[in-house]
Every structure is written in C-alpha cells, then in structure tokens.
Amino acid sequence: MSSEHETTITMEQSSLEISTNDIHLNVQVDNQLRVMSNHVTSPSDSIFDEINLPISVDVSIPSRRELIQVQLEALLNNPEQSSSSSSYIHEANIISLENLSKKLNTPHFIVERILNILGFLSLNEDVLSISQYNVIRLTQILNSTTDVRILLFFMILDINNDNHISKIEMNDFFKLYFQNLSFNTHNLEEAIETFLKRFHFDTQNEINFEEFYSIIIEDETILRIFSLFSIRSTRSLLPEIKSHENFIHQYFPRFYSYIALLNVHQMTLVYNYLQDNIPQIILFIIYFLINLALSLYVIIFRSTILKNNVCIIFARVCGMLLNLNCSLILILTLKQTILIIRSKRFLRYWIPVDIHIDFHKFIGRFISILAIIHTIAHMINFGYVQEYSWSILMFTTTPHIGWVGGFATLSGIILSIVLAIIIIFSMNWVRRKGYFQIFYWSHRFYLIFFVFLIIHAENSWKWIIGPFIWFSLEKIYSNIKRYSTHTGRTYLNCVTIEQSNVISLNIHKPKNFIFKPGDYIKINMPQIAPYEFHPFTISNAPEDNSLRLHIQINGNWTKKVYERYKNMSDNDDISETHIRIYRADLNPKRACIEERSYENTIENEINTTTMNDLNNLSLKKEIIIIDGPYSSCARYIFDCEHAILIAGGIGVTPYASILSSLMAQFRASRMNCSHCQNTIHSKKILLDNYRLRKVDFIWISRDHKSFEWFFKLLYEFEKEQDIYLKSHPTEKRFLTVHLYLTELKIDKNIGHHPLQLITEVWTQVTGHDIFTGLKSKTHIGRPEWDKVFNQFYLEHNSSMINNVGIFFCGPTTMNKTIQTMCNRYRFNFYKENF
Ligand SMILES: Cc1cc2nc3c(=O)[nH]c(=O)nc-3n(C[C@H](O)[C@H](O)[C@H](O)COP(=O)(O)OP(=O)(O)OC[C@H]3O[C@@H](n4cnc5c(N)ncnc54)[C@H](O)[C@@H]3O)c2cc1C
C-alpha cells in the first residue's frame, strides 16, 4: 500500500493476530486500537500493510511512534509466543551482559542500552545479566519489523529519554561506538559529520522520532541497513549443546577427520583433484615404478644369484633406493633449470616444477626412512658374521668393507650423523620458529653428505655425479652473478617506513638485471648480517628503473632492518650514509610525494651518469647483494584469460608487481590524438602480447592501514582504467579490486550496523571508500569464499574454466581453504607461500 489511510478498529475484548515473516503477533486491546496503514514502501516490512479488518473512520491520528510502540509492546507482552518456540529454555538460566555483548559482537554499551529500554536487565550475584527467556524475546523483537528496529535505534540514541535525539547524543554515540571497536581512520570524524548531515544536524540541533523515521524511510541506503538491524539467531547466543559429532571432534580429532574424509563430498573433491593434476600423478607413478623396479631387481639378483640373507637384501634394496633418491633430491634444487622450465608453457605443464619444494621434502623424509632401515639391516647382519666381532665390524676398517680403504661402516656412521643433523634441523619447529639460520647452515652439510656417500658405496658416484656437476655449475653461475656489479652487487637508493610494521627498500637496479613480474630475489645486507640471504618478492614493475621490496617484520633479521632505518630517521642520523628515509607511517601522502620527486632525481642521475660514477657513488651508499631473480608461479598469470589474484597481508607483493607492470602497459599505450585532443590507447601495446583479458584482485588484510602500502598503485590503476574505459566505452573493466578488512569482524548482528551506516553514507557522498580512499569498496570481515568462487564460476561456462587461474600468496591457513574451493569449482590453483 502506498497511500495513507486512517483507520480505526473498534474491538471489544478483541484479539488481533498479525503475522509477519517469522513472528506471530497477538495484540490484546481492551478498548480501542487505532491502526493507520503505513505508507512505507518495501523493503520496510510494516505489519500494518497486512491488516484487513472492518474499518470505521475516526478523526484522531496516532503518531507514528505510538503505533510502533504498540507493536513493540505487543511483542513484549507475548509470553506464550516466546516460550512455545523455545521449549528447551529454562527461565532460571541466565547469561551475563558481558557474555551477551561478546556473542553479539556488539559494544557493551549498546547491548546494555537495549536491554535497559526493554527492561530485560537484572542483577544476579552482582553481575548484570539477562535470562535466557529474555534472550529469546530480544531476538524476536529484533527480528520483527523494520519499524520496531528504527524505534529501538532511536531510543538507543535518545540517551536522556526526552523523545528527541540531539546532535551531541548522536555524535557521542558514534564516537563511543568506534572507540569500543578500537577502530580509527583519518577521516572518521568527517564521516560521522557527513552522516549527521543526513539527519539535518547541520541546520538543527535535535530531531524527534517522526523526522528521524521519515529521513530513514526516504533514504534507500539507510533504510536497507535498518532492515538488517537484527540478531542472527537465538541459538548462537545460548550455551552450545554438545552434539554427538562435537563430542567425537573434541576427543577423537584424528578419527573425526578420517570419518570426515570419507564422506561423499570429500570423495568428490579427491576425485576432482586427481582429474586436475594428471601430470603430477603421472610423475608420481613413474617415480614409484622406478623405485619398485630397482627394488625388484636387487631382490631378485641378491636372492637368486648372490644368495644373500634377508638382512643384506633389505640393506641393499634401501642402498639402491638411497642412490636414486639422493640424486633426485639434488635435481629438485636446480633453481636456474626450474626458471627455464617455468618460462616454457609446454614444459611446465608436463614437468610439475611448482611442487619441487614439496617433492624435495617428501624425498628427504623417504631418504631418512631408507637410511634407518639400511643401517639397522646391516647392524643385524653384522651379528651373524662369524669372522669378526660386531664392534670391529662397526667401528674399524679392519674387515675392509667398502671400496675406499674399508671405510664403509665408518663412513656409514658419519653419514647417519650428518643426515640426522640435516633432518632434525629442517623440521618445522626449527625453520618456522625463529631458527631459520640453524636450518640453513645445517643444510649446508649436504656437501659432507655427498662426499661421504661417494666414499661409502661403490656405485653411488655413478648416480650422484651428473646432478652434482649440474648443481655445482648452477651454484658457480649464481655466485658470479651475485657479486657482479652488473647483476647483483648494488646499493640502496632510499627507504620508506610504511604503515603496519613494513619497510620498503628502493634498490638501485643493476644494469643487466632482468626480471619478470612476480619474481623474487634473495638479498644480503652486510650491515645487518654479513652472511644471511633472505628472499623477498620484487613488488614493482620490470619497467621501473629501480627494484622495490616490501619487507614485513617477521623475525630477527627483518626486525633489525626495520629498526635500523627507523632509528636512523628518528635520530636524524642519515648524513653519513646518504640514505633518504621517508615516513609513510607518519604521513603517507607526504612520503609518497617526496619519494616520487626523489625517484625522478635519481632517474635523471642515472641518465646522465656513467657506470664508473655510479660505482663511486655506491661507495657512499649502503651495499646490497642480490641473488636472483628466481621465478614463482605468478609468472603464469599472463597465460590465463582471467586471473584471480588472492593475497593475504604481505602476500600482496607479487601481485603488486604484476599490477604495476599492467599499469605501465596502460600508460605506454596511452596517446593523445593530435586532431581531437582525446586520449586514445594503442591496442598494439596494450595486452597484445598476452592472453590476459580480466584480472580480479582480492586482498585480505587484517589492518586497514596496510592498504596504504600500495594505495598509490591501486589509485592510479583505477584512474588509468577510468581514462581507458572512457575512450573505449564498449570494453569491459579489466581490473576489479576486492579489498577485505578482517580487523573488524562482520556478522549479521546489531553491532555491525552503526559502522555500515557511517561507511556507506560516506561512500555515497564522496564516491570513495572510507578505509582506502579508493572507488572500490572495502568489505568488512573475511570473504565468504563459497559465494566468491560461485560468482566467478557463474561468469564462465564449464569449457572456459581452464582459462581461469587462481593465484594465491599468503598464510598457509588461508591456502587450504582456497585450495579446497579451487578443487570444488575446478579452477587451476597456483600458490606461493612466504
Ligand atoms: C619466495 C619468498 C618470497 C618472499 N617475499 C616476501 C615479501 O615480499 N615480503 C615479506 O615481508 N616477506 C617475504 N618473504 C618472507 C621473508 O623471506 C621472511 O619473512 C624473512 O626471511 C624472515 O626472516 P627473519 O630472520 O626476520 O625471520 P625468522 O624468524 O628467521 O623467520 C620467519 C619465517 O621466515 C622464514 N625465513 C627466514 N629466513 C628465511 C630465508 N633466508 N629463506 C626463506 N625463508 C626464510 C622462516 O622459515 C620462518 O617461517 C618471502 C619468502 C619467500 C620464501
């Protein structure tokens, strides 16, 4: 209904039953109930639209507030309704205000205010609490009509209960709200002010409910948010009832995950995985068959021809497999070769180089099992040898076992010790828990291992020699490159201290250093630690004149780098080293402008300076040794038609490089037409070399300040793209940015909506997102992956799925979810873990 009717319903001992979505309203009125049909159009779900009763006209008009108050009171005085829907609730059970506010993810003061308004708050053993029965009523009230929700919100804001909201009350409410969220952005105050203007607080100091209501009803955005101002479900607020499944999950987690694996859904995923990873499976089958064939050969040869006992056969089978696997493990570390394979589409499809680290780890574990069996089998066998005692066989060269001076058993002992050191120190608790250097240096023992392996067994060198020479040549090549001023030895241009514990280094790009977007380098900063190399992805475009790294504090080394330059800047101690340090953590805009002007200066310097000058210049600068570049699967992006780039936190760096490179192409393609003065884009330059037609960039960050790291890039890309789309109106958007902020938790409960009110009104007014200043909207909370993937899936028909690539770089926990989703939707998945 859209017109406004005035109706009076006369009832004696009447009972009015109104049904809205999921509540039943039973209004009991003694004398007269006046009802005015509501002029609200959808989505307001006013119950009065639904009333169809005999009407007698009366002249007195109740105010809107009175009418909604009737609804509210009806809900409050409806005990049967509440109790019938929740027979499992006992009225005596209580939940503390503190707990309720946590479960609702809503600031304490808002929950307290609502409960006070509804009269649901009581004091139990000195703790403010609410009965479970009232929790149900609260849910029902907040899930009733939008009118009721608007009234409740008005009452929350009307702190002094004078039936008016003043500007101060509203301002204070939002300030307190954001304080409770521990959230602030530089334009928050301005955003609150903008929101207040919607309620005409720029021209008046207070409003009553009628004005408040009509402003909301007429504003589509605000009305939509009010229609969501509710509580998700009662059950989520009440203590959990442990189900059978939960019990198994809690006490037998392994058994539970095994059972879960067996369900049909998981079986489908496994099936999908197998179908989508045929080359990997073929490789594994070949690997398995070679191991099997070698084992069978040794078993048959040793048992039938040499007539060896079981212990020797076991030892020799393991020995043979050790030879094979030790040579394979070396091959899997050939980084230059991997780089070549990666750059050829056909090669990398059939040689799954992306799993080289996982395969290296797998073989490492297999080697340790084989070595244990091999050693134990020989030790048992020594017990059967009559000629020498066990200890002589084990610890001396007297029995002349082996091919180099009877050294087999002693070299075997050394090999076991070396292998144990390598294996133990490569475990996660060493590598990932701040002892990476121990892992790194203990892994250097591989040299001793291979030398003793060759001495230990007669045939080992035949297996090892090829891969070892190949490996050594690669090492020599990368060392030459590393210390040459044309490719590796360089210096720091400038440093920017970024927001959220990140520092970005601007490094002079050596003359012959060539890289592709998404590649990474290993850097050594002698002034921080003379022998440590750490890998970092280059975050700018190959088209730029310098190299840029974004480094997040993670452990000792990164912390030292961050603190060194921060302290230098704090203490104004930069004159000696000639390093410029910009403080984006203090003033991002200023740092950006200053750095850009400095970049222009050094660009000019490079254009006018000879190499010798640069070398002399570098004496005054901080030296940096770079090793690389090394490739990552981010290189495959340009082989897809639609690339979906997903980054978690600092995992954005490879994609920043790719986006920078794409933007450089946009720029290079832009020309001004001399006739019409319009901007035109040369299709030849723009994306002509690539299959890539669409990029969706999803960046999930805990802290909204992190978006500042690449604000300039995203902002300029948006601008560049708008110019392009203006001159090519028929073209589709090339890059879509989806930013997610997890610092704030989203749920469908009331606590989220005040934030939504402020942010959405701000975007509507300014056209920019409040968190980033970009046109793209920042989503609050984690992505709902299923929805996100489903949307991408619907964009393509199933034959096109193969042209879509999902690229992920970020924390391992997120990696699992995304991999499962890719598996489900059959998208190609490529990951990069830091
Ligand atoms: C290919 C790749 C690209 C990366 N790109 C970036 C980037 O762009 N920005 C960024 O902030 N971080 C990046 N990292 C992570 C970065 O290398 C580590 O944060 C850094 O080396 C930590 O050193 P630390 O001594 O401060 O911390 P530690 O406490 O020693 O280690 C913290 C973590 O970093 C790993 N790590 C430490 N040293 C090394 C090393 N020499 N080689 C490999 N892993 C190491 C450890 O296993 C551990 O998980 C990348 C890592 C890899 C493997």
PDB file of all heavy atoms in Angstrom, residues 328-338 356 360 443 471 474-475:
ATOM      1  N   LEU A 328      67.959 -37.545  -7.000  1.00  0.00           N
ATOM      2  CA  LEU A 328      66.733 -36.788  -7.288  1.00  0.00           C
ATOM      3  C   LEU A 328      66.602 -35.543  -6.422  1.00  0.00           C
ATOM      4  O   LEU A 328      66.190 -34.484  -6.879  1.00  0.00           O
ATOM      5  CB  LEU A 328      65.507 -37.677  -7.035  1.00  0.00           C
ATOM      6  CG  LEU A 328      65.047 -38.549  -8.194  1.00  0.00           C
ATOM      7  CD1 LEU A 328      63.820 -39.357  -7.792  1.00  0.00           C
ATOM      8  CD2 LEU A 328      64.712 -37.678  -9.397  1.00  0.00           C
ATOM      9  N   ILE A 329      67.001 -35.701  -5.149  1.00  0.00           N
ATOM     10  CA  ILE A 329      66.827 -34.573  -4.217  1.00  0.00           C
ATOM     11  C   ILE A 329      67.690 -33.380  -4.656  1.00  0.00           C
ATOM     12  O   ILE A 329      67.313 -32.221  -4.466  1.00  0.00           O
ATOM     13  CB  ILE A 329      67.121 -35.014  -2.765  1.00  0.00           C
ATOM     14  CG1 ILE A 329      66.292 -34.157  -1.812  1.00  0.00           C
ATOM     15  CG2 ILE A 329      68.593 -34.957  -2.399  1.00  0.00           C
ATOM     16  CD1 ILE A 329      66.152 -34.708  -0.442  1.00  0.00           C
ATOM     17  N   LEU A 330      68.809 -33.683  -5.284  1.00  0.00           N
ATOM     18  CA  LEU A 330      69.671 -32.602  -5.802  1.00  0.00           C
ATOM     19  C   LEU A 330      69.014 -31.927  -7.003  1.00  0.00           C
ATOM     20  O   LEU A 330      69.008 -30.704  -7.119  1.00  0.00           O
ATOM     21  CB  LEU A 330      71.012 -33.187  -6.247  1.00  0.00           C
ATOM     22  CG  LEU A 330      72.188 -33.092  -5.311  1.00  0.00           C
ATOM     23  CD1 LEU A 330      73.432 -33.616  -6.013  1.00  0.00           C
ATOM     24  CD2 LEU A 330      72.427 -31.657  -4.865  1.00  0.00           C
ATOM     25  N   ILE A 331      68.444 -32.772  -7.873  1.00  0.00           N
ATOM     26  CA  ILE A 331      67.817 -32.236  -9.092  1.00  0.00           C
ATOM     27  C   ILE A 331      66.698 -31.258  -8.728  1.00  0.00           C
ATOM     28  O   ILE A 331      66.498 -30.241  -9.393  1.00  0.00           O
ATOM     29  CB  ILE A 331      67.289 -33.399  -9.976  1.00  0.00           C
ATOM     30  CG1 ILE A 331      68.475 -34.182 -10.529  1.00  0.00           C
ATOM     31  CG2 ILE A 331      66.398 -32.897 -11.105  1.00  0.00           C
ATOM     32  CD1 ILE A 331      68.115 -35.445 -11.260  1.00  0.00           C
ATOM     33  N   LEU A 332      66.006 -31.560  -7.643  1.00  0.00           N
ATOM     34  CA  LEU A 332      64.873 -30.703  -7.254  1.00  0.00           C
ATOM     35  C   LEU A 332      65.293 -29.337  -6.716  1.00  0.00           C
ATOM     36  O   LEU A 332      64.453 -28.501  -6.402  1.00  0.00           O
ATOM     37  CB  LEU A 332      64.018 -31.429  -6.215  1.00  0.00           C
ATOM     38  CG  LEU A 332      63.243 -32.621  -6.772  1.00  0.00           C
ATOM     39  CD1 LEU A 332      62.674 -33.471  -5.668  1.00  0.00           C
ATOM     40  CD2 LEU A 332      62.142 -32.165  -7.710  1.00  0.00           C
ATOM     41  N   THR A 333      66.603 -29.118  -6.571  1.00  0.00           N
ATOM     42  CA  THR A 333      67.041 -27.807  -6.070  1.00  0.00           C
ATOM     43  C   THR A 333      67.694 -26.961  -7.175  1.00  0.00           C
ATOM     44  O   THR A 333      68.298 -25.929  -6.891  1.00  0.00           O
ATOM     45  CB  THR A 333      68.060 -27.975  -4.920  1.00  0.00           C
ATOM     46  OG1 THR A 333      69.141 -28.743  -5.430  1.00  0.00           O
ATOM     47  CG2 THR A 333      67.481 -28.672  -3.718  1.00  0.00           C
ATOM     48  N   LEU A 334      67.554 -27.402  -8.419  1.00  0.00           N
ATOM     49  CA  LEU A 334      68.205 -26.683  -9.525  1.00  0.00           C
ATOM     50  C   LEU A 334      67.359 -25.475  -9.931  1.00  0.00           C
ATOM     51  O   LEU A 334      66.505 -25.571 -10.820  1.00  0.00           O
ATOM     52  CB  LEU A 334      68.415 -27.630 -10.716  1.00  0.00           C
ATOM     53  CG  LEU A 334      69.295 -28.845 -10.419  1.00  0.00           C
ATOM     54  CD1 LEU A 334      69.223 -29.860 -11.543  1.00  0.00           C
ATOM     55  CD2 LEU A 334      70.741 -28.413 -10.180  1.00  0.00           C
ATOM     56  N   LYS A 335      67.588 -24.370  -9.267  1.00  0.00           N
ATOM     57  CA  LYS A 335      66.707 -23.202  -9.431  1.00  0.00           C
ATOM     58  C   LYS A 335      66.756 -22.593 -10.824  1.00  0.00           C
ATOM     59  O   LYS A 335      65.737 -22.152 -11.342  1.00  0.00           O
ATOM     60  CB  LYS A 335      67.073 -22.136  -8.400  1.00  0.00           C
ATOM     61  CG  LYS A 335      66.620 -22.542  -7.023  1.00  0.00           C
ATOM     62  CD  LYS A 335      66.484 -21.356  -6.134  1.00  0.00           C
ATOM     63  CE  LYS A 335      65.828 -21.773  -4.840  1.00  0.00           C
ATOM     64  NZ  LYS A 335      66.423 -21.219  -3.681  1.00  0.00           N
ATOM     65  N   GLN A 336      67.956 -22.552 -11.425  1.00  0.00           N
ATOM     66  CA  GLN A 336      68.061 -21.949 -12.759  1.00  0.00           C
ATOM     67  C   GLN A 336      67.305 -22.804 -13.770  1.00  0.00           C
ATOM     68  O   GLN A 336      66.625 -22.281 -14.658  1.00  0.00           O
ATOM     69  CB  GLN A 336      69.538 -21.814 -13.191  1.00  0.00           C
ATOM     70  CG  GLN A 336      70.396 -20.991 -12.267  1.00  0.00           C
ATOM     71  CD  GLN A 336      69.923 -19.537 -12.197  1.00  0.00           C
ATOM     72  OE1 GLN A 336      69.331 -19.019 -13.125  1.00  0.00           O
ATOM     73  NE2 GLN A 336      70.169 -18.889 -11.069  1.00  0.00           N
ATOM     74  N   THR A 337      67.424 -24.111 -13.601  1.00  0.00           N
ATOM     75  CA  THR A 337      66.726 -25.024 -14.522  1.00  0.00           C
ATOM     76  C   THR A 337      65.220 -24.872 -14.346  1.00  0.00           C
ATOM     77  O   THR A 337      64.473 -24.837 -15.324  1.00  0.00           O
ATOM     78  CB  THR A 337      67.148 -26.480 -14.222  1.00  0.00           C
ATOM     79  OG1 THR A 337      68.555 -26.503 -14.099  1.00  0.00           O
ATOM     80  CG2 THR A 337      66.692 -27.424 -15.295  1.00  0.00           C
ATOM     81  N   ILE A 338      64.804 -24.772 -13.096  1.00  0.00           N
ATOM     82  CA  ILE A 338      63.366 -24.600 -12.813  1.00  0.00           C
ATOM     83  C   ILE A 338      62.859 -23.314 -13.464  1.00  0.00           C
ATOM     84  O   ILE A 338      61.766 -23.269 -14.036  1.00  0.00           O
ATOM     85  CB  ILE A 338      63.131 -24.604 -11.286  1.00  0.00           C
ATOM     86  CG1 ILE A 338      63.308 -26.027 -10.772  1.00  0.00           C
ATOM     87  CG2 ILE A 338      61.745 -24.072 -10.912  1.00  0.00           C
ATOM     88  CD1 ILE A 338      63.339 -26.177  -9.289  1.00  0.00           C
ATOM     89  N   HIS A 356      58.128 -28.606  -6.621  1.00  0.00           N
ATOM     90  CA  HIS A 356      59.505 -29.084  -6.372  1.00  0.00           C
ATOM     91  C   HIS A 356      59.874 -29.040  -4.889  1.00  0.00           C
ATOM     92  O   HIS A 356      60.558 -29.941  -4.407  1.00  0.00           O
ATOM     93  CB  HIS A 356      60.524 -28.343  -7.248  1.00  0.00           C
ATOM     94  CG  HIS A 356      60.830 -26.959  -6.820  1.00  0.00           C
ATOM     95  ND1 HIS A 356      60.009 -25.898  -7.096  1.00  0.00           N
ATOM     96  CD2 HIS A 356      61.879 -26.451  -6.118  1.00  0.00           C
ATOM     97  CE1 HIS A 356      60.543 -24.796  -6.600  1.00  0.00           C
ATOM     98  NE2 HIS A 356      61.676 -25.103  -6.007  1.00  0.00           N
ATOM     99  N   HIS A 360      60.736 -32.269  -2.806  1.00  0.00           N
ATOM    100  CA  HIS A 360      62.049 -32.296  -2.144  1.00  0.00           C
ATOM    101  C   HIS A 360      61.884 -32.751  -0.676  1.00  0.00           C
ATOM    102  O   HIS A 360      62.628 -33.605  -0.192  1.00  0.00           O
ATOM    103  CB  HIS A 360      62.662 -30.894  -2.210  1.00  0.00           C
ATOM    104  CG  HIS A 360      63.959 -30.743  -1.490  1.00  0.00           C
ATOM    105  ND1 HIS A 360      65.175 -30.954  -2.096  1.00  0.00           N
ATOM    106  CD2 HIS A 360      64.245 -30.391  -0.214  1.00  0.00           C
ATOM    107  CE1 HIS A 360      66.148 -30.749  -1.224  1.00  0.00           C
ATOM    108  NE2 HIS A 360      65.602 -30.392  -0.069  1.00  0.00           N
ATOM    109  N   HIS A 443      71.783 -27.356   6.669  1.00  0.00           N
ATOM    110  CA  HIS A 443      71.536 -27.899   5.331  1.00  0.00           C
ATOM    111  C   HIS A 443      72.791 -27.827   4.453  1.00  0.00           C
ATOM    112  O   HIS A 443      72.902 -28.574   3.482  1.00  0.00           O
ATOM    113  CB  HIS A 443      70.381 -27.141   4.660  1.00  0.00           C
ATOM    114  CG  HIS A 443      69.214 -28.036   4.333  1.00  0.00           C
ATOM    115  ND1 HIS A 443      68.482 -28.683   5.297  1.00  0.00           N
ATOM    116  CD2 HIS A 443      68.649 -28.402   3.143  1.00  0.00           C
ATOM    117  CE1 HIS A 443      67.537 -29.395   4.732  1.00  0.00           C
ATOM    118  NE2 HIS A 443      67.604 -29.251   3.421  1.00  0.00           N
ATOM    119  N   PHE A 471      74.437 -29.185 -10.489  1.00  0.00           N
ATOM    120  CA  PHE A 471      74.149 -28.366  -9.323  1.00  0.00           C
ATOM    121  C   PHE A 471      75.306 -27.392  -9.045  1.00  0.00           C
ATOM    122  O   PHE A 471      75.087 -26.197  -8.793  1.00  0.00           O
ATOM    123  CB  PHE A 471      73.927 -29.313  -8.127  1.00  0.00           C
ATOM    124  CG  PHE A 471      73.699 -28.632  -6.814  1.00  0.00           C
ATOM    125  CD1 PHE A 471      72.438 -28.181  -6.459  1.00  0.00           C
ATOM    126  CD2 PHE A 471      74.744 -28.448  -5.908  1.00  0.00           C
ATOM    127  CE1 PHE A 471      72.226 -27.555  -5.246  1.00  0.00           C
ATOM    128  CE2 PHE A 471      74.538 -27.824  -4.703  1.00  0.00           C
ATOM    129  CZ  PHE A 471      73.274 -27.376  -4.365  1.00  0.00           C
ATOM    130  N   GLU A 474      75.420 -24.536 -11.545  1.00  0.00           N
ATOM    131  CA  GLU A 474      74.387 -23.532 -11.218  1.00  0.00           C
ATOM    132  C   GLU A 474      74.845 -22.643 -10.066  1.00  0.00           C
ATOM    133  O   GLU A 474      74.643 -21.440 -10.067  1.00  0.00           O
ATOM    134  CB  GLU A 474      73.076 -24.228 -10.824  1.00  0.00           C
ATOM    135  CG  GLU A 474      72.214 -24.563 -12.002  1.00  0.00           C
ATOM    136  CD  GLU A 474      70.733 -24.687 -11.652  1.00  0.00           C
ATOM    137  OE1 GLU A 474      70.368 -24.482 -10.484  1.00  0.00           O
ATOM    138  OE2 GLU A 474      69.945 -24.975 -12.559  1.00  0.00           O
ATOM    139  N   LYS A 475      75.479 -23.277  -9.062  1.00  0.00           N
ATOM    140  CA  LYS A 475      75.955 -22.519  -7.891  1.00  0.00           C
ATOM    141  C   LYS A 475      77.018 -21.513  -8.310  1.00  0.00           C
ATOM    142  O   LYS A 475      77.015 -20.358  -7.879  1.00  0.00           O
ATOM    143  CB  LYS A 475      76.537 -23.467  -6.838  1.00  0.00           C
ATOM    144  CG  LYS A 475      75.482 -24.123  -5.983  1.00  0.00           C
ATOM    145  CD  LYS A 475      75.202 -23.287  -4.753  1.00  0.00           C
ATOM    146  CE  LYS A 475      73.929 -23.749  -4.091  1.00  0.00           C
ATOM    147  NZ  LYS A 475      73.003 -22.805  -3.668  1.00  0.00           N
TER     148      LYS A 475
END
